[in-house]
Amino acid sequence: MDITPQFGFFVIDNLEIHLGLGYSFQKDPDESDPDVSTNTNVFVINPGINYYLPIVEGRFFYAPGLDLGIGFGSQNYKTETTSEKLYGVTQFYVSLALLSFEYRPVQNFGISFRAGDLTYSLESQKRTIGEQTLKTTYNKFNFGLNLGASLGFRYYF
């Protein structure tokens, strides 16, 4: 589950800069015991830009964009009675939205659809055991046509 509200400003006609602040929660249950799970919590800061190309003047737009993201959080092992921190998590990503559209049924309201992002991400996990610190880094490059598809609602002042 991810939620990232964004606040944007048009700096010139059709060019929007925005900032999103979000939270991501992922629960991975243990298949052998339903009361045990590994939970990942991440807070995200997400600046970006979108450029709106009108397809139907004032109503329908192609809106490609570029986003950066920085996230901080933790991964915890949770049982019915205890919770133990496994790792500290740090994330960074760059995402190019190629399939992004917006429909404005009325003047100040928009419905956006986005899919097919081209994304590079870097995730680092750090764990301290006694005096030893273990660090694992993951690099991912992803082009997901339907993975991560999102629907958004926008209000324009």
Side-chain angles (χ1 to χ4, degrees):
M1 174 191 79
D2 297 322
I3 184 165
T4 308
Q6 290 182 346
F7 305 92
F9 181 75
F10 283 89
V11 291
I12 60 173
D13 286 348
N14 300 332
L15 182 64
E16 174 206 34
I17 60 171
H18 60 261
L19 177 65
L21 300 174
Y23 174 73
S24 172
F25 176 76
Q26 180 178 343
K27 182 176 183 176
D28 295 318
D30 187 332
E31 293 179 14
S32 63
D33 186 350
D35 294 328
V36 176
S37 64
T38 303
N39 301 338
T40 306
N41 300 282
V42 179
F43 293 95
V44 179
I45 300 169
N46 175 244
I49 60 172
N50 288 330
Y51 189 76
Y52 290 80
L53 297 165
I55 296 172
V56 175
E57 192 63 40
R59 292 277 181 217
F60 190 64
F61 297 87
Y62 172 59
L66 179 69
D67 290 320
L68 300 175
I70 302 168
F72 305 96
S74 65
Q75 188 174 75
N76 302 305
Y77 180 76
K78 185 172 170 125
T79 67
E80 190 174 327
T81 57
T82 64
S83 181
E84 174 190 353
K85 181 177 178 180
L86 297 177
Y87 297 99
V89 177
T90 304
Q91 298 176 339
F92 171 77
Y93 67 88
V94 176
S95 183
L96 178 62
L98 301 174
L99 296 174
S100 181
F101 298 92
E102 183 170 312
Y103 173 64
R104 296 182 188 160
V106 294
Q107 185 176 1
N108 292 341
F109 183 73
I111 302 168
S112 62
F113 173 77
R114 184 173 173 168
D117 290 6
L118 184 62
T119 304
Y120 168 76
S121 64
L122 175 68
E123 182 174 315
S124 176
Q125 297 179 342
K126 190 183 276 189
R127 181 176 186 178
T128 302
I129 302 174
E131 293 182 16
Q132 186 177 17
T133 299
L134 305 172
K135 184 175 180 180
T136 307
T137 303
Y138 301 97
N139 290 297
K140 290 190 256 182
F141 183 72
N142 184 23
F143 179 71
L145 187 56
N146 286 324
L147 299 176
S150 66
L151 185 65
F153 301 98
R154 295 176 179 246
Y155 182 77
Y156 294 98
F157 295 96

